[in-house]
């Protein structure tokens, strides 16, 4: 059995949908940002906090868990700047409780959702895993801290782990039963689509004076299902003992500016956006684009969705929601 912590969240629920096809799954989620209805009905759902040692003991005593996949974190760059306590508490302290419980219950395999925010402001076109880690916001720092804890746990307690550093996740499951939903929403693609559906008056572009061709930030968008499939490959590599400790980047390797993302949404939907150009948002690097060559080479991962397809899938899901 596999324990998926944060399986009711956006990325976690996409992973659970794929994972239930091949494994028994227990989801632990406190529903602080997730939604129970996103959890596949074939998974066992436990509502609780990953920082609550009694809940963890209960799960590890009840189910034969062979690996833990950890998606439960606060993940908003801007909020981490204004409320760092929340981030160090939830992302670092609670994760430490989870890792100690795993060690005590002799569960040795761990997959960790990390982020491109660990790299800070890298001065290269394509970021590979050898780039130095130099996070510029508390969110990125909390993820890097957990990565450092994992290194030490591997040495001391023989924990096997794979860290997946996500770039910008977007898109919805092909069934349109689950998709990206945050409250409040801060992510670019859902905000644009909500606007195009008439749920927001306008889109604000945060900063037009970045050192990029059109002055707006460039990001690398990856579909949630492509990301879920990378997790399954990573899980197999741990369980089959092909890998003990690894770090992989996950992105499509193509950068799109905020303006280009808006244009693509306009062309997918056929609706024109009302755009307001504003100031920079704190904590945003100008450009983050992944090299995912390592996971392609070592685990055979191949993303299937380009930006157009990501936006099409998200549009299909958003349009099917009463409240998005
Ligand atoms: N943006 C706008 N207007 C908006 C929302 C976003 O201009 O209303 C811009 C942002 O400033 C940024 C880009 O669109 O330049 C993407 O912003 P998102 O908030 O969608 O995503 P981030 O790049 O800030 O962060 C995401 C995840 C992080 C992760 C990071 C790694 O939320 O967890 O990608 O690339 F660390």
């Amino acid at each position: 059995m596999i324990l998926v912590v944060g399986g009711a969240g956006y990325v976690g629920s996409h992973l659970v949908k794929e994972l239930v096809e091949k494994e028994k799954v227990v989801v632990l989620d406190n529903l602080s940002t997730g939604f129970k209805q996103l959890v596949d009905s074939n998974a066992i759902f436990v509502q609780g906090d990953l920082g609550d040692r009694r809940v963890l003991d209960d799960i590890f005593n009840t189910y034969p868990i062979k690996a833990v996949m950890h998606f439960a974190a606060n993940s908003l760059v801007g909020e981490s700047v204004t409320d760092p306590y929340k981030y160090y508490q939830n992302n670092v302290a609670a994760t430490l409780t989870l890792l100690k419980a795993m060690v005590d219950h002799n569960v040795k395999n761990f997959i960790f959702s990390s982020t491109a925010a660990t790299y800070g402001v890298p001065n290269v076109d394509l970021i590979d895993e050898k780039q130095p880690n130099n996070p510029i916001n508390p969110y990125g720092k909390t993820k890097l801290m957990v990565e450092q804890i994992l290194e030490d746990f591997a040495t001391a307690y023989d924990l096997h782990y794979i860290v997946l550093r996500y770039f910008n996740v977007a898109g919805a499951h092909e069934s349109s039963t689950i998709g990206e939903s945050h409250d409040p929403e801060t992510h670019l693609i859902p905000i644009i689509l909500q606007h195009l559906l008439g749920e927001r008056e306008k889109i604000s572009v945060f900063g037009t004076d970045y050192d990029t061709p059109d002055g707006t930030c460039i990001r690398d968008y990856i579909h949630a299902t492509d990301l879920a499939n990378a997790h399954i490959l990573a899980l197999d590599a741990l369980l089959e003992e092909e890998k003990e400790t690894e770090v992989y980047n996950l992105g499509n390797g193509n950068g799109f500016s905020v303006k280009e993302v808006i244009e693509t949404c306009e062309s997918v939907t056929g609706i024109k956006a009302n755009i307001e150009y504003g100031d920079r948002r704190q904590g945003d690097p100008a450009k983050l684009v992944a090299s995912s060559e390592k996971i392609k080479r070592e685990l055979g991962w191949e993303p299937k969705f380009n930006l157009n397809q990501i936006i099409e899938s998200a549009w299909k899901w958003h349009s099917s929601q009463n409240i998005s």
Side-chain angles (χ1 to χ4, degrees):
M1 272 182 124
I2 311 296
L3 173 62
V4 180
V5 184
Y10 166 48
V11 177
S13 63
H14 280 76
L15 174 274
V16 170
K17 246 201 156 35
E18 306 300 320
L19 190 60
V20 291
E21 302 289 328
K22 54 182 291 181
E23 297 275 2
K24 291 209 164 76
V25 177
V26 180
V27 168
L28 172 67
D29 201 299
N30 65 6
L31 300 183
S32 61
T33 59
F35 301 94
K36 176 124 189 277
Q37 65 269 26
L38 295 183
V39 180
D40 191 279
S41 56
N42 292 306
I44 296 167
F45 179 72
V46 179
Q47 185 169 352
D49 203 292
L50 78 135
D52 185 340
R53 182 60 199 248
R54 280 169 311 178
V55 174
L56 295 171
D57 285 339
D58 219 31
I59 291 174
F60 288 124
N61 287 330
T62 308
Y63 304 108
I65 303 292
K66 56 184 179 181
V68 176
M69 304 174 91
H70 179 23
F71 297 84
N74 295 111
S75 62
L76 303 178
V77 169
E79 184 188 51
S80 80
V81 175
T82 54
D83 192 2
Y85 171 76
K86 179 174 174 181
Y87 280 71
Y88 288 105
Q89 177 59 45
N90 292 345
N91 293 5
V92 183
T95 300
L96 195 56
T97 303
L98 171 66
L99 291 172
K100 180 68 166 76
M102 284 180 63
V103 169
D104 291 345
H105 288 271
N106 208 24
V107 180
K108 297 284 190 186
N109 298 303
F110 188 67
I111 300 205
F112 180 59
S113 303
S114 189
T115 172
T118 56
Y119 294 111
V121 193
N123 199 13
V124 288
D125 280 338
L126 288 179
I127 303 164
D128 67 17
E129 296 80 356
K130 294 198 187 85
Q131 283 303 307
N133 290 122
N134 199 5
I136 59 164
N137 50 59
Y139 169 61
K141 289 182 194 168
T142 63
K143 291 289 182 177
L144 186 59
M145 281 177 189
V146 173
E147 292 192 20
Q148 290 163 340
I149 292 168
L150 288 174
E151 280 177 31
D152 295 339
F153 271 48
T155 307
Y157 312 125
D158 196 30
L159 182 76
H160 294 183
Y161 69 84
I162 293 182
V163 164
L164 299 175
R165 293 188 183 140
Y166 309 169
F167 284 64
N168 286 53
V169 192
H173 192 263
E174 60 177 357
S175 64
S176 283
T177 51
I178 56 174
E180 184 165 11
S181 178
H182 302 103
D183 187 17
E185 189 54 77
T186 63
H187 291 93
L188 182 63
I189 290 177
I191 282 184
I192 300 169
L193 298 182
Q194 286 173 353
H195 163 62
L196 298 179
L197 277 169
E199 294 166 17
R200 292 170 187 267
E201 234 174 87
K202 57 181 188 297
I203 305 161
S204 305
V205 172
F206 300 145
T208 51
D209 59 349
Y210 284 97
D211 185 16
T212 59
D214 68 16
T216 66
C217 286
I218 292 177
R219 294 289 181 272
D220 180 347
Y221 294 86
I222 170 175
H223 195 284
T225 299
D226 282 332
L227 191 61
N229 287 328
H231 283 76
I232 306 253
L233 293 172
L235 179 67
D236 289 345
L238 281 185
L239 295 178
E240 285 160 20
E241 295 180 12
E242 283 163 20
K243 295 284 175 195
E244 290 193 356
T245 63
E246 283 296 344
V247 177
Y248 295 115
N249 284 348
L250 281 167
N252 271 338
N254 298 309
F256 294 94
S257 72
V258 173
K259 278 189 185 168
E260 288 171 326
V261 174
I262 296 172
E263 282 160 17
T264 311
C265 290
E266 288 180 328
S267 95
V268 164
T269 63
I271 306 171
K272 195 101 193 95
N274 175 19
I275 306 167
E276 172 189 80
Y277 294 95
D279 293 339
R280 292 183 176 200
R281 186 174 68 178
Q282 249 190 314
D284 277 343
K287 180 175 173 188
L288 290 171
V289 183
S291 161
S292 294
E293 290 311 309
K294 188 178 169 199
I295 191 164
K296 288 181 179 172
R297 196 172 57 239
E298 296 189 4
L299 302 187
W301 178 71
E302 207 51 63
K304 298 195 172 69
F305 293 82
N306 62 27
L307 184 68
N308 228 65
Q309 294 163 314
I310 289 172
I311 291 172
E312 277 167 5
S313 72
W315 177 241
K316 201 171 149 205
W317 184 77
H318 277 281
S319 324
S320 72
Q321 299 299 297
N322 291 330
I323 316 155
S324 43

